[in-house]
Amino acid sequence: KNSINKVFLIGHLGADPEGRYTKTGRSTASFSLATNEVWRQVGGNNKEHTEWHSIVAWDKLADFTNDYLYKGQLVSIEGSLRTRRWESKSGEQHKTVEVLCSNIVPLEWKK
């Protein structure tokens, strides 16, 4: 009966956050987050993979994001997955999966 939709990520911001306000005045921010993994293949060569995540924050968390986060910064993100669908003006169907952020902890600051 019960299920859990919880995401924990630690990674680097791919760009400075993009802040906006909705028509009703709610603050929102979005940014990309890169997580990396490295493993050793048979034969001793290292293989690396980078996964890019779309992150969305709202209200006071969005304000914090816009004021204090920057490209390249290492952060910890907590949230849940959300799938969003929309139709373009040309009638094309689009779908994206985002992390709806509930907590952000910067793990490093500008020097």
Side-chain angles (χ1 to χ4, degrees), residues 4-100:
I4 296 173
N5 180 357
K6 193 63 118 173
V7 175
F8 293 98
L9 297 170
I10 295 176
H12 292 89
L13 271 72
D16 288 337
E18 294 180 26
R20 295 175 297 288
Y21 289 93
T22 65
K23 292 177 184 176
T24 59
R26 277 185 82 190
S27 176
T28 183
S30 58
F31 58 94
S32 60
L33 188 79
T35 55
N36 301 304
E37 58 181 316
V38 179
W39 65 94
R40 187 171 304 275
Q41 293 181 311
V42 176
N45 294 332
N46 284 345
K47 182 80 172 172
E48 183 174 342
H49 174 74
T50 301
E51 191 70 36
W52 289 94
H53 311 274
S54 296
I55 313 295
V56 178
W58 288 92
D59 303 319
K60 289 184 179 185
L61 194 54
D63 295 337
F64 172 82
T65 297
N66 289 322
D67 291 342
Y68 297 106
L69 300 188
Y70 53 90
K71 179 181 179 176
Q73 185 178 21
L74 183 66
V75 295
S76 170
I77 301 289
E78 184 179 342
S80 57
L81 292 177
R82 289 289 188 271
T83 302
R84 189 166 48 92
R85 301 170 199 272
W86 71 96
E87 186 175 315
S88 66
K89 291 180 182 178
S90 63
E92 256 185 292
Q93 297 292 322
H94 297 273
K95 173 182 163 182
T96 188
V97 177
E98 301 168 323
V99 175
L100 181 57

